[in-house]
Amino acid sequence: MSNRKRKKPLPPTLSNTGFIGATFADTNELLANEYHFSRKQMKITHHVLDALLQGVTQLFQQHNVEAALSCVYLPKYKKIGLVLSKQPFGRREGIGYFINYLKEVGHIDWDEKTKDYEIHNTSFIGVVFADLEKISKFTFEFELQLLAKFVKELIIPAKELFLQHHIRAYISGVENDEQHKLGFVLSIKPYDERKEADLYFVEYLKERGLYETDESEEELIPIHTKWSLFSK
C-alpha cells in the first residue's frame, strides 16, 4: 500500500473572463405560490420568467450591452413569448410588439382592434414564442416544468436573434436541482455553454454565500435574505 497522501482535487477554473453575473429563482421558494386545482390560465411561469429577464436586462445595460428581454403572456391567444429589443421597454409596448408580430405571421387577424397596444419603441428586433393552444388546463407542477423548459430552450433562439443583429449578449439557461435553483448566466464574451455555464452558476452562488452545503461538508449553510419574485 502506498503511503502517499491523496492530493485534494483542484477546483475547476473558468476560462472565460467575460461573465458578468446571473439571475435566478429558488424553486423551493416558488412552493409558497403552489395551487391545488387546475386552471385555464398560467399563474406562475410567465411571472417568474419575466422577473428573471428583467434582471438579465439590467445586467446587460449596466455593462453597456444593448440587449433587453421580457416575457409576455397572452392568455387570450394562448401564446407566451420572449420579446427582444436593443433598449428597455415597458409592459404595454412588449404586449404591442408581440401582438403585431403574431399578426405578421398570421396568428391574429389584421382587422382585430389592438390600438391600445401601439408601439413607440423602434429598437425591437424580434420575438420567440411558444404556442399553448393544445394545453387546456395548467397545474402548478406542469407550470414549473414549463418554466424549466423555457429557461433552457426558449432562450436559445432568442440569443441567436441577438447575434444576428450583432449584439454581443451571451446568455445560457441553467438549472441546479441540488441547489434548487433555476436561472440564467450572462457574459460579454463567447463561452462553451456545455462546460462553463453550470460551472459558473455554482461559482457565482458560492461567491455570494448562496451555495448550500450538506451536513457532511465542512462549510456552514449561509443565512441569506431571499428575494420574492411575486408582489404581495
Side-chain angles (χ1 to χ4, degrees), residues 30-56:
L30 297 181
L31 292 173
N33 298 276
E34 184 177 7
Y35 56 91
H36 304 285
F37 300 98
S38 60
R39 297 168 171 261
K40 290 183 178 180
Q41 297 181 8
M42 286 195 299
K43 179 185 175 184
I44 305 293
T45 304
H46 55 300
H47 288 302
V48 178
L49 191 51
D50 190 50
L52 292 172
L53 293 176
Q54 285 179 28
V56 166

Side-chain angles (χ1 to χ4, degrees), residues 168-186:
R168 300 179 69 82
Y170 302 97
I171 178 172
S172 296
V174 290
E175 182 178 17
N176 190 310
D177 291 332
E178 291 181 0
Q179 296 297 309
H180 45 83
K181 292 188 173 54
L182 177 75
F184 299 105
V185 295
L186 318 170

Side-chain angles (χ1 to χ4, degrees), residues 69-221:
L69 304 90
S70 179
C71 175
V72 176
Y73 175 44
L74 302 176
K76 178 180 177 181
Y77 305 106
K78 296 187 176 181
K79 305 285 189 295
I80 184 172
L82 304 187
V83 179
L84 287 72
S85 174
K86 292 182 179 180
Q87 297 297 329
F89 53 93
R91 177 179 176 275
R92 185 168 290 274
E93 284 185 302
I95 293 173
Y97 187 74
F98 194 8
I99 288 175
N100 274 18
Y101 178 86
L102 291 173
K103 285 184 174 182
E104 288 175 3
V105 297
H107 284 266
I108 298 178
D109 194 296
W110 273 109
D111 296 330
E112 186 163 346
K113 294 179 181 179
T114 54
K115 286 186 178 179
D116 290 344
Y117 298 103
E118 289 182 350
I119 302 168
H120 303 288
N121 185 328
T122 58
S123 300
F124 288 109
I125 61 174
V127 173
V128 176
F129 75 95
D131 200 321
L132 305 173
E133 287 183 354
K134 293 182 179 179
I135 304 172
S136 57
K137 297 289 184 181
F138 293 93
T139 64
F140 180 77
E141 292 77 15
F142 181 65
E143 283 206 57
L144 291 188
Q145 291 172 10
L146 272 183
L147 176 62
K149 188 174 182 65
F150 289 159
V151 164
K152 298 295 289 289
E153 297 181 17
L154 205 58
I155 199 64
I156 295 173
K159 63 185 179 184
E160 287 174 354
L161 266 175
F162 279 134
L163 295 181
Q164 287 171 18
H165 287 79
H166 308 290
I167 299 172
R168 300 179 69 82
Y170 302 97
I171 178 172
S172 296
V174 290
E175 182 178 17
N176 190 310
D177 291 332
E178 291 181 0
Q179 296 297 309
H180 45 83
K181 292 188 173 54
L182 177 75
F184 299 105
V185 295
L186 318 170
S187 176
I188 55 175
K189 293 181 181 179
Y191 56 95
D192 186 335
E193 293 184 49
R194 291 175 299 175
K195 295 180 180 178
E196 294 189 299
D198 291 333
L199 174 59
Y200 182 73
F201 190 49
V202 168
E203 292 303 307
Y204 179 89
L205 294 175
K206 287 181 176 178
E207 285 176 5
R208 283 152 182 80
L210 302 175
Y211 186 86
E212 298 182 4
T213 59
D214 60 38
E215 293 179 357
S216 64
E217 295 184 51
E218 292 180 0
E219 296 177 317
L220 295 175
I221 298 177

